[in-house]
Each structure stands twice: as C-alpha cells, then as structure tokens.
Amino acid sequence: MGSGLRLRRCCHFVAAIGRQVQNRQVQNGHAKPGERWALVSRAPGALLAVTLSLSAAHGQTVPQLVTRELVAAHNAARVKVGSPPLAWSDRLAETAHRWADYLMAAHAFAPRTGDPHGETLLLIAGGTVAPAEVVRTWLSEERDYNHNTNSCIGVCGHYTQVVWRAAREVGCGMAFDGYRQIWVCEYAPPGNVTGMRPY
C-alpha cells in the first residue's frame, strides 16, 4: 500500500462527447508523501475526492492469474444485468498494454484517438491496486446510471462499457513505474454507442 495515492479514471466513448478528456486533468500535481487521498475524474475538468481500499499490485505484465481476476470481475457485474460473459482477448490485451506503456512514457492520461474498441482507463499514483479493484472502481459509477432514462448523472461510461451487452471480448494491460500504475482495458465490439442501452 502506498502512503500517497492519486487515482484518475476515464473512459473511451464511441460517442464524440466521451472523447473530451482534457490533459489538464492529468497535470494537477502529485500526491505528497504521507497523504492518503484519491482523485477520480468525474467529467472533463472536474475531479472528486474518494477513498479506496488498496492491495498490492502485480508486475507490469498481465499474467494469467491477473487475467482470470480481471475477466471474473467483469463477468460478475455482467451476469447481474443479464449480459453474456466476456472472453479474454490476447490481441486486445496487447493493444491495451501498448497504450498503457505509451501513457506512462509520455506522462499522459487520455483515451486513444481513433480507437475502434471500447476503452476504460485508470491511473493510480503513489500506490497500487489489485485487478479486481480496478474493475470495481469502474463499476462504482453504476450509482450514476439511470437505466429507465438511459442517462448518467455525472459519469457512468466506465460502468456501461464494462456491462455493455454487445461486448464479447476484453483485454487489459498495465504499466507501472514504481510510483504510478496505469490500467487500460479494451473491449470488442465497443460499447457506449449513442442512443443504445447497455443492457
């Protein structure tokens, strides 16, 4: 567990509105030693402080044990809403890992432009997080999604992507530099299609 923690997440939307992730969200400073806080991106330019329970992370690669944990966490949420289970895709995982590595090297945090897949991102600074907690963080947006009106109060695109009924495959990658951890998951077919319901 790190003593200082900063967490940011963003989601790749198929709709143009979801592509508006601002780099300034990423460059709001670093967690100071001894601090215990998290910042979660809620909308472009806006941040909300939250508390997370964290556990030790795995290395930079996504070994088979982590793969199973990521798929299980996704599928546990999907079964609750009647969406079929996702299968792991090595192809999507390679894409996700390359993007996580790029973001780490570039000191950036943004979705890939022109990405034909659905995408969810998570940034941890000053700590690490277990794979299932990554997915639970995205799923915490369920409280902001209104299924009756198919609308969000705040941000819910991570949640809707994770449970999107038409998605069949997921692949995730992670980069870690000793201070920051960036998680990326790619989905095919993509979710968050404007005008469609996730389930």
Side-chain angles (χ1 to χ4, degrees), residues 69-70 144:
E69 190 176 342
L70 286 164
D144 293 338

Side-chain angles (χ1 to χ4, degrees), residues 66-81 83-88 120 131-132 134-136 138-139 158-159 161-164 167 169-172 183-187:
V66 174
T67 300
R68 286 194 301 267
E69 190 176 342
L70 286 164
V71 171
H74 277 83
N75 288 338
R78 293 173 65 82
V79 74
K80 290 179 183 177
V81 298
S83 292
L86 293 174
W88 183 261
T120 52
V134 170
V135 179
R136 281 193 298 271
W138 294 327
L139 292 172
H158 300 93
Y159 167 71
Q161 177 60 75
V162 169
V163 299
W164 196 265
E169 295 180 305
V170 64
C172 304
W183 290 86
V184 178
C185 287
E186 300 281 334
Y187 304 83

Side-chain angles (χ1 to χ4, degrees), residues 16-105:
I17 57 170
R19 297 182 190 271
Q20 303 302 315
V21 176
Q22 304 295 323
N23 282 336
R24 69 177 178 268
Q25 288 180 321
V26 181
Q27 299 170 6
N28 288 328
H30 297 286
K32 295 175 184 151
E35 286 184 328
R36 221 174 134 62
W37 55 282
L39 292 177
V40 179
S41 71
R42 303 296 292 167
L47 298 172
L48 171 70
V50 297
T51 305
L52 294 177
S53 67
L54 300 174
S55 57
H58 304 270
Q60 282 188 275
T61 60
V62 180
Q64 191 172 2
L65 178 65
V66 174
T67 300
R68 286 194 301 267
E69 190 176 342
L70 286 164
V71 171
H74 277 83
N75 288 338
R78 293 173 65 82
V79 74
K80 290 179 183 177
V81 298
S83 292
L86 293 174
W88 183 261
S89 166
D90 289 334
R91 175 183 55 85
L92 291 175
E94 179 58 32
T95 299
H97 188 77
R98 278 196 315 270
W99 188 243
D101 283 345
Y102 168 80
L103 292 174
M104 186 66 70

